[in-house]
Amino acid sequence: GESVGLHLPTLSVQEGDNSIINCAYSNSASDYFIWYKQESGKGPQFIIDIRSNMDKRQGQRVTVLLNKTVKHLSLQIAATQPGDSAVYFCAESRGFQKLVFGTGTRLLVSP
Amino acid sequence: EADIYQTPRYLVIGTGKKITLECSQTMGHDKMYWYQQDPGMELHLIHYSYGVNSTEKGDLSSESTVSRIRTEHFPLTLESARPSHTSQYLCASSGTYNEQFFGPGTRLTVL
């Protein structure tokens, strides 16, 4: 079928390294942000979220950082493992409006 | 177990056939969404619904149609499939908060 849109940027890391995936969002009024992980052949799965009243939120091996001044969101993965290889999407929303998804970044982890 | 289901998972069909992709969720969510995604590419919102008898077109123009007669069910129909419709179709739902839960997707191939 005809492809729509851009090919995803790729981040390649070695197993055990820390990974940082970046996302620039567009709406300064957005107050909710979320990161999804999508493995090949599967639907996106929730990783971590953050609200605009926070700058940082930590999960298991993952940290999300929010910089509202420059409208930037990042996902940090500690001690990256081969199972972390996937496409990562950020998404933003304002109030009860639907999520707006970013382009996505492909993470490749080599042993 | 609360979840979101899509059937079929894979569908290969000839040009001109009418097809319906099924999506059901058992989470009682009011909001449901359909996305189109080519392999390794971005997510594109094609339809969404905020409740029974409510449907809206998404950001990407699509020849498909949807209906929402029951809260848990949000089928997508293509009246006459074409090779350009070959893609992966992802269904999602969300409740009070904006986090969307995704189904496993239907990979459609039109010959």
Side-chain angles (χ1 to χ4, degrees):
Chain A
E2 183 179 351
S3 294
V4 178
L6 304 171
H7 283 276
L8 303 177
T10 299
L11 173 66
S12 296
V13 300
Q14 293 284 117
E15 182 178 359
D17 288 351
N18 296 333
S19 301
I20 300 176
I21 300 172
N22 296 305
C23 177
Y25 63 92
S26 56
N27 188 349
S28 57
S30 291
D31 56 12
Y32 178 69
F33 305 87
I34 190 168
W35 281 99
Y36 284 93
K37 173 186 180 182
Q38 186 179 24
E39 296 176 280
S40 180
K42 299 182 179 179
Q45 290 188 302
F46 170 89
I47 303 173
I48 191 166
D49 59 1
I50 188 169
R51 298 203 175 272
S52 58
N53 60 351
M54 301 174 68
D55 297 323
K56 179 180 179 179
R57 190 163 186 226
Q58 287 184 291
Q60 187 177 16
R61 278 202 309 121
V62 295
T63 301
V64 56
L65 297 177
L66 176 63
N67 185 330
K68 296 180 286 293
T69 302
V70 294
K71 293 188 289 186
H72 184 266
L73 190 69
S74 68
L75 176 71
Q76 300 178 359
I77 304 173
T80 313
Q81 302 168 0
D84 295 325
S85 292
V87 175
Y88 291 81
F89 291 97
C90 67
E92 59 178 300
S93 69
R94 175 190 172 209
F96 294 104
Q97 295 177 8
K98 62 187 185 299
L99 287 174
V100 175
F101 282 84
T103 307
T105 298
R106 181 180 306 281
L107 177 65
L108 294 176
V109 183
S110 53
Chain B
E1 180 182 339
D3 211 338
I4 181 164
Y5 306 93
Q6 289 186 245
T7 57
R9 291 293 316 279
Y10 304 92
L11 179 62
V12 180
I13 202 162
T15 297
K17 299 291 186 184
K18 177 180 178 178
I19 59 168
T20 297
L21 307 185
E22 301 288 349
C23 176
S24 295
Q25 50 96 4
T26 57
M27 294 176 279
H29 287 164
D30 287 327
K31 303 171 195 172
M32 295 189 74
Y33 313 83
W34 276 104
Y35 292 86
Q36 183 177 343
Q37 183 185 37
D38 291 325
M41 305 288 261
E42 310 161 76
L43 289 164
H44 292 280
L45 180 67
I46 52 175
H47 297 283
Y48 62 100
S49 167
Y50 282 172
V52 171
N53 294 326
S54 151
T55 61
E56 302 285 346
K57 289 190 179 295
D59 307 318
L60 180 69
S61 175
S62 174
E63 295 167 342
S64 58
T65 59
V66 292
S67 62
R68 189 86 183 278
I69 299 172
R70 303 197 316 265
T71 298
E72 62 272 20
H73 194 214
F74 191 40
L76 180 145
T77 298
L78 277 165
E79 291 292 333
S80 180
R82 296 207 302 268
S84 62
H85 296 139
T86 294
S87 190
Q88 174 159 261
Y89 293 84
L90 289 159
C91 180
S93 70
S94 64
T96 305
Y97 302 104
N98 288 348
E99 178 187 349
Q100 291 183 18
F101 297 85
F102 283 83
T106 294
R107 188 171 295 279
L108 172 66
T109 301
V110 183
L111 303 174

